[in-house]
Amino acid sequence: MTSSNLLSAAAAVVFTAAFAMAPADARDLDPSVRVTHPPMQPYRNADGTFKRLRGTITTSSWSGYAVTSGAPYTSASATWQVPNVTYDGGQTPYGYEYVFNWVGVGGDGDATLIQLGTESVVSTTGATSFYTWYELYPAVSEPAGLSVKPGDIVTASLQCTAQCSPSQTQTWQLTLSDDTTGAAWTQSLQYQSSMASAEWITEPPYYNGFLPLADYEQATYDPVEANGVNPNLSLATNGIIALDQWGQTSNPSAPVDGNVFSTCWGAGGAGLTPCTAGSFAMPPPVVTASLSANPKAISAGQSSTLSWSSTNATSCTGGGFTASRTSGSAVVTPTATTSYSVTCTAGADPATAMATISVSSTSGGHGGKPHK
């Protein structure tokens, strides 16, 4: 069977069931609702063997890589860039599409899974939101105390710190840091994992069935580690392709140096998206602008000096006065209280600052006869 035929067949089998799994009152599901991320659920052939596409295991939700040969796994980590997302125009029972990126221990072949990651959500209107979370399956996901935005580079790690045996309830240290902003979150938790696998996964969440996978284009993991070392990934041995019930796909690239890879989104009817390991797309530096007035209060007929400055801007434009350079000053003589602005940009995401000059009127005399 060709790749496109396999994709179409897998989508046809499960697509009809998608809405049957959604509540009858299917309404918008708030993106912050706690969901679950179940262990790997591979498709199987009639003889019970794993279904494979291009030699790689196919599942209903997971895409990326999982390793088992180095068990027990006492740690796993990954660095990735939070992907932006767009709505792909398909059908969704709750008004949103999702992509979750995470690192985990357990869940490949067993029902234990401890995981930590980020969430990118897009509504049918195109509005986006972004979250961080962790989960001790089968409990639902819990929010992690770290704010992220698309383009941020994050590092997530799970480290067993006590009772590190599959037969015991372990202590796990979960850490999530935003390498772009310098912020970080950490928490210590108790959980009994099989410790039989480590994985780095892109997937949709589960809520009354697996939810639609948002168009995330490409997500890059660079690097990943298991037990503190390079896991030496192999596409044929460790790769996982997702063919979801909504006709969407997500497939991994071949790894680079054994510890770097990307996953790529696709629409099932078109076959798998060609995927090669990418690199982090660094967001442009943030543009800032400032504007001040000296003095801030004058009498009618007097003047004040506006001074402005910026960072990472290529040009600035004044509102109510003339500004062209990225910093400078200008003298203004307003006749009434006036608010001025300066907008600085580097081609996108402009920054604006404002300053107000208060103007008081002057009296023409004191009434009565003038003093001599």
Side-chain angles (χ1 to χ4, degrees), residues 11-45:
V13 168
V14 294
F15 184 80
T16 303
F19 283 101
M21 291 185 290
D25 63 339
R27 56 188 182 274
D28 282 1
L29 176 67
D30 187 302
S32 63
V33 166
R34 293 182 299 169
V35 294
T36 60
H37 307 80
M40 186 172 72
Q41 299 184 22
Y43 290 119
R44 294 182 182 272
N45 298 308

Side-chain angles (χ1 to χ4, degrees), residues 184-197:
W185 169 90
T186 187
Q187 187 162 331
S188 183
L189 300 164
Q190 303 290 308
Y191 185 70
Q192 186 169 359
S193 167
S194 70
M195 308 175 80
S197 62

Side-chain angles (χ1 to χ4, degrees), residues 19-209:
F19 283 101
M21 291 185 290
D25 63 339
R27 56 188 182 274
D28 282 1
L29 176 67
D30 187 302
S32 63
V33 166
R34 293 182 299 169
V35 294
T36 60
H37 307 80
M40 186 172 72
Q41 299 184 22
Y43 290 119
R44 294 182 182 272
N45 298 308
D47 61 1
T49 59
F50 291 151
K51 189 180 291 294
R52 293 178 177 270
L53 184 60
R54 299 180 186 172
T56 303
I57 290 175
T58 61
T59 78
S60 53
S61 62
W62 283 22
S63 64
Y65 282 85
V67 293
T68 58
S69 61
Y73 290 97
T74 58
S75 70
S77 66
T79 298
W80 67 86
Q81 189 163 34
V82 179
N84 209 345
V85 284
T86 57
Y87 182 68
D88 77 333
Q91 300 185 65
T92 174
Y94 298 111
Y96 295 91
E97 293 181 338
Y98 311 76
V99 63
F100 284 67
N101 304 89
W102 54 267
V103 57
V105 171
D108 181 354
D110 64 76
T112 69
L113 179 56
I114 180 170
Q115 49 196 156
L116 175 66
T118 62
E119 170 186 5
S120 303
V121 186
V122 59
S123 74
T124 54
T125 66
T128 56
S129 50
F130 304 87
Y131 305 91
T132 57
W133 57 278
Y134 68 91
E135 184 176 321
L136 312 179
Y137 188 80
V140 295
S141 61
E142 297 285 350
L146 184 69
S147 297
V148 295
K149 60 183 183 299
D152 284 1
I153 297 171
V154 300
T155 296
S157 67
L158 306 97
Q159 175 72 55
C160 183
T161 58
Q163 302 292 100
C164 298
S165 167
S167 62
Q168 298 176 305
T169 298
Q170 307 104 20
T171 299
W172 292 88
Q173 187 75 25
L174 277 59
T175 303
L176 187 63
S177 60
D178 189 323
D179 303 338
T180 301
T181 65
W185 169 90
T186 187
Q187 187 162 331
S188 183
L189 300 164
Q190 303 290 308
Y191 185 70
Q192 186 169 359
S193 167
S194 70
M195 308 175 80
S197 62
E199 50 271 331
W200 307 271
I201 300 298
T202 301
E203 71 161 350
Y206 185 97
Y207 185 90
N208 296 308

